[in-house]
Amino acid sequence: AAKQGGRNRYHRCTPELNANAQEQMKLIHGLAAALELAQFELHYQPQMDARTGKTVSLEALLSWCSPELGRVAPAKFLPLAEESGAIIPIGNWVLEEVVRQIRAWLDKGCAGSGITVTVNISAQQLRESGFVERIASLLERYDVPAQALRLEITESTMITDMRLTQQVCKALMERGITLGIDDVGSGYSSLSMLNRFPYQYIKLHHSLIQGITQSREDYIIVRMLVEMARQLCKDVIAEGVESEEQLELLIDLGCREMQGYHIGVPMNAADIVYYLKGSGDQMAPPAIS
Ligand code: C2E
Ligand code: MG
Ligand code: MG
Ligand code: MG
């Protein structure tokens, strides 16, 4: 297609393509060494129980601080990490870092006994052999209860190799780990998957939440999803809550937990301590478990 406009057009496109390819190369090369160079960072975003206003979970969000590229968002490097298989060691690092952090918060006494941290899990990670056992041994090593961990997967994760995914989800739940389905209502989600796996909650995609105060259609879809969850005996978390109006609407609809810039931005582990202190109470036991 680049050649269609003749020679001139072709030449005009080339530098841009090169720049893109160059950035991809930088990403791929940088990513390979990033773990060893300790360039990954986790931030934690609060999730609030709509009924009590208390913080009930913190979602761990990964970012990569590259000296060359600056701070790289997960959307930029996760697809590459998934393609190259690097997601396995990176995901293992995330899990250990989170469990270690939970232990540290428990030791500081700042999180009460009800602390839970939510971790995003890629499809490959879930299907890697020994995944459940690895988590179990991490929890044991750091003396952290399984109830402190929530794992979030997307529906697209579930479509491939359904039997294995089903088994893994079941094993995780049997150990007391909470499971949620992320990004429900996004372009990639398929509702037909929602009754084939064990899990406790769905998390509504922020693109839907964004629209609920302006678009009647979005409002109706959110209402329908909340109702569906109720019928399936699942809880609902809304992500991307950015305003008081959205929050009120979601509370009215019966959403159980809220997450978004209006509730709290992602923070580093030290700031979370102040956030929890500042919000007047320690973390409450989770509504969803
Ligand atoms: P997610 O799990 O759906 O996480 C929520 C995303 O929404 C985060 O983006 C968060 O920063 C952003 N967000 C939070 N509040 C708001 C808000 O009020 N409005 C809007 N528009 N966005 C908000 P982030 O950090 O860029 O992460 C993007 C995605 O990358 C995550 O989506 C998750 O799927 C994936 N991800 C992040 N960390 C990890 C990880 O450790 N492992 C894996 N496998 N995936 C991860
Ligand atoms: Mg998530
Ligand atoms: Mg999400
Ligand atoms: Mg997501």
Side-chain angles (χ1 to χ4, degrees):
K3 273 187 171 169
Q4 238 167 26
R7 257 189 100 76
N8 280 339
R9 175 98 188 268
Y10 183 78
H11 277 286
R12 240 192 304 139
C13 287
T14 305
E16 196 185 306
L17 284 178
N18 278 341
N20 254 332
Q22 255 174 29
E23 201 200 40
Q24 288 293 96
M25 290 308 283
K26 275 187 194 167
L27 279 169
I28 291 167
H29 283 293
L31 200 54
L35 203 52
E36 257 182 71
L37 296 172
Q39 291 169 350
F40 288 109
E41 235 178 46
L42 288 177
H43 284 79
Y44 298 87
Q45 186 175 33
Q47 279 162 237
M48 181 188 81
D49 185 336
R51 295 183 201 175
T52 63
K54 290 192 168 153
T55 305
V56 283
S57 193
L58 302 164
E59 180 166 23
L61 295 164
L62 183 65
S63 57
W64 171 27
C65 307
S66 154
E68 234 186 314
L69 300 158
R71 192 176 170 132
V72 189
K76 267 233 162 118
F77 68 83
L78 280 176
L80 285 173
E82 277 162 5
E83 224 170 280
S84 70
I87 190 64
I88 299 296
I90 294 171
N92 285 338
W93 178 83
V94 170
L95 278 165
E96 175 151 11
E97 180 62 15
V98 162
V99 175
R100 189 197 61 72
Q101 187 60 64
I102 295 173
R103 181 74 261 157
W105 281 327
L106 287 171
D107 288 345
K108 277 206 179 82
C110 63
S113 56
I115 186 166
T116 84
V117 176
T118 302
V119 182
N120 294 287
I121 301 292
S122 290
Q124 274 156 282
Q125 263 181 291
L126 197 81
R127 283 192 282 274
E128 173 83 351
S129 76
F131 178 70
V132 180
E133 291 71 22
R134 190 168 303 116
I135 290 184
S137 78
L138 268 180
L139 292 171
E140 197 178 284
R141 181 140 46 94
Y142 288 91
D143 191 22
V144 164
Q147 286 70 25
L149 212 52
R150 285 183 183 179
L151 302 184
E152 250 168 39
I153 56 183
T154 57
E155 288 153 293
S156 54
T157 306
M158 304 178 135
I159 294 165
T160 25
D161 212 341
M162 288 224 277
R163 274 191 76 86
L164 179 59
T165 310
Q166 257 166 346
Q167 282 167 8
V168 173
C169 289
K170 191 160 166 277
L172 289 167
M173 296 243 306
E174 280 168 0
R175 286 184 183 268
I177 292 165
T178 302
L179 278 187
I181 313 299
D182 207 352
D183 297 342
V184 171
S186 76
Y188 299 104
S189 78
S190 121
L191 297 179
S192 65
M193 289 296 120
L194 286 179
N195 57 2
R196 304 210 188 161
F197 298 89
Y199 61 93
Q200 281 105 328
Y201 69 88
I202 60 172
K203 190 182 267 190
L204 302 181
H205 194 245
H206 57 77
S207 61
L208 268 183
I209 305 306
Q210 222 104 89
I212 54 165
T213 49
Q214 293 107 19
S215 149
R216 187 171 148 71
E217 285 79 8
D218 283 1
Y219 174 78
I220 289 169
I221 291 168
V222 170
R223 194 174 65 187
M224 181 203 75
L225 289 170
V226 173
E227 179 54 26
M228 181 198 71
R230 203 190 338 265
Q231 299 283 341
L232 294 172
C233 300
K234 310 296 182 191
D235 272 299
V236 183
I237 303 180
E239 73 173 23
V241 180
E242 293 183 356
S243 72
E244 188 62 26
E245 292 91 323
Q246 291 169 353
L247 178 62
E248 276 164 18
L249 217 52
L250 288 161
I251 290 174
D252 282 348
L253 286 176
C255 255
R256 191 65 217 260
E257 289 181 23
M258 310 291 172
Q259 179 179 1
Y261 302 144
H262 183 65
I263 313 297
V265 297
M267 290 166 258
N268 67 33
D271 288 342
I272 283 292
V273 174
Y274 293 109
Y275 177 85
L276 291 174
K277 277 186 188 146
S279 64
D281 35 45
Q282 301 183 323
M283 267 177 88
I288 300 170
S289 62

